Amino acid sequence: MAGKLKGKTAFVTGASSGLGLADVIEFVKEDAETVIMVSRNPKKLQEVAMIASEYGNSRILTYQLDVAREDDWRKVTELLNDKVDKLDVLVNNAGINKRDSFRDCTLKDWNRIISINQTSVFLGMKYCLDLLKKSNNASIINLSSITGLTGYFAVAYTASKWAVRGMTKSAAMEFGKFGIRVNSIHPGFINTPLNESIKDLIDATKGMNPLGRAGESMEIAKAVTFLASDDSSYMTGAELVLDGGLTSGGQFKIIADQFNIY
Ligand SMILES: NC(=O)c1ccc[n+]([C@@H]2O[C@H](COP(=O)([O-])OP(=O)(O)OC[C@H]3O[C@@H](n4cnc5c(N)ncnc54)[C@H](O)[C@@H]3O)[C@@H](O)[C@H]2O)c1
């Protein structure tokens, strides 16, 4: 039944595609009062905001915001003070990936990935805090990854996603007294534009995955909505893994298949 986010104001970064856009659509379907969509490309943002608005009656606000730029966070949160009286949900979703080994990762690429995937989450929580405090019942959802739980062959991406997982727990400790919950989401391989170029790699992981397939954006958005809603009212500092079971022992599944154990 719709209505899980009734009366809530939500802020989603990287909202113009993939998981961020799916979150926005799900929030609108669940009757959020206001959804604030931010991303780097204002034209694309306008286009997808039109699409999202067809799913319900939420007020949708869009702002250009590069998550790695402190000035952008300062500017947008100042503008928001005149538009909303509180924030109930912050989804730190924007991110990029570049699969470089230690040998190939340049310092320039390292700094770019860390600033967009990691520093952004710090800035997002820091600059939205005052508005989130006004909710008395807010929820922050930080997009980590299964690569925030294991090693992976993309060193900077992996480092950034472990950092997001750690920062989430620090924030949960610090913000609990304001009624703000903070949790991390850990998707496995999901069909989004981020993974367009690695379809072969994703196919190769299917044998390790108990559900035998990649995930879809809406399957992650439903979990983000659960964390955004009051249904998760006693959950903070936690990790929600949505990977079809990949990290539950995928390597053993391959062995089991090979030796006909099941
Ligand atoms: N798709 C997956 O398999 C998967 C798995 C685990 C985690 N994730 C994480 O989920 C999040 C969303 O990924 P996605 O798959 O939807 O990717 P995507 O490429 O479809 O979307 C990423 C969004 O972030 C935005 N973005 C990138 N850099 C930005 C910046 N500097 N400022 C503002 N916006 C910026 C892009 O414009 C885009 O809208 C990312 O943090 C990603 O690491 C994705």
Side-chain angles (χ1 to χ4, degrees):
M1 202 172 67
K4 282 190 182 140
L5 301 183
K6 214 165 180 173
K8 292 194 188 282
T9 295
F11 185 117
V12 182
T13 71
S16 61
S17 70
L19 302 185
L21 178 57
D23 292 344
V24 170
I25 290 174
E26 203 54 33
F27 290 179
V28 173
K29 283 188 190 166
E30 291 296 343
D31 297 332
E33 188 171 300
T34 303
V35 184
I36 299 145
M37 302 175 71
V38 302
S39 201
R40 271 179 311 187
N41 180 339
K43 193 164 170 276
K44 174 101 190 282
L45 209 45
Q46 288 300 331
E47 284 166 21
V48 296
M50 292 289 286
I51 296 170
S53 68
E54 285 166 18
Y55 287 85
N57 299 316
S58 309
R59 173 173 68 144
I60 296 184
L61 304 175
T62 59
Y63 295 96
Q64 182 176 14
L65 185 151
D66 182 328
V67 289
R69 294 173 60 101
E70 184 171 22
D71 279 354
D72 283 10
W73 279 105
R74 190 178 291 118
K75 197 172 78 189
V76 170
T77 46
E78 272 171 23
L79 288 172
L80 272 182
N81 277 318
D82 291 334
K83 294 275 181 190
V84 299
D85 52 8
K86 63 177 168 65
L87 263 188
D88 304 290
V89 179
L90 167 65
V91 187
N92 283 309
N93 164 80
I96 54 168
N97 197 358
K98 192 161 184 291
R99 288 164 198 86
D100 280 340
S101 62
F102 277 84
R103 191 195 56 202
D104 297 330
C105 185
T106 63
L107 183 59
K108 191 173 170 213
D109 281 339
W110 168 274
N111 285 334
R112 186 164 156 264
I113 291 165
I114 296 297
S115 66
I116 294 175
N117 290 4
Q118 174 182 333
T119 311
S120 63
V121 177
F122 162 70
L123 292 173
M125 294 197 284
K126 183 176 171 63
Y127 278 89
C128 290
L129 184 58
D130 284 344
L131 276 168
L132 289 160
K133 276 183 185 171
K134 291 181 181 165
S135 162
N136 292 319
N137 185 25
S139 172
I140 301 175
I141 299 115
N142 294 328
L143 264 289
S144 179
S145 162
I146 52 169
T147 67
L149 304 169
T150 70
Y152 186 56
F153 38 72
V155 58
Y157 186 80
T158 307
S160 71
K161 294 301 183 183
W162 276 79
V164 168
R165 180 179 167 208
M167 257 190 296
T168 298
K169 295 186 195 311
S170 290
M173 285 174 58
E174 188 175 331
F175 301 164
K177 63 175 181 254
F178 306 124
I180 303 173
R181 301 179 293 104
V182 195
N183 295 289
S184 53
I185 289 253
H186 300 259
F189 292 100
I190 314 300
N191 292 318
T192 70
L194 186 82
N195 290 332
E196 222 39 11
S197 61
I198 56 157
K199 290 209 163 116
D200 292 353
L201 190 154
I202 293 180
D203 276 346
T205 67
K206 285 181 182 163
M208 300 170 67
N209 186 312
L211 295 185
R213 64 174 177 86
E216 299 302 331
S217 298
M218 276 303 166
E219 295 180 290
I220 308 304
K222 297 258 184 211
V224 172
T225 304
F226 163 70
L227 291 178
S229 78
D230 297 341
D231 286 350
S232 55
S233 55
Y234 199 53
M235 192 168 168
T236 195
E239 296 149 12
L240 198 51
V241 181
L242 298 130
D243 67 349
L246 189 63
T247 52
S248 64
Q251 67 276 42
F252 298 116
K253 179 174 179 302
I254 290 183
I255 302 285
D257 289 346
Q258 201 173 327
F259 288 87
N260 283 324
I261 291 173
Y262 300 138

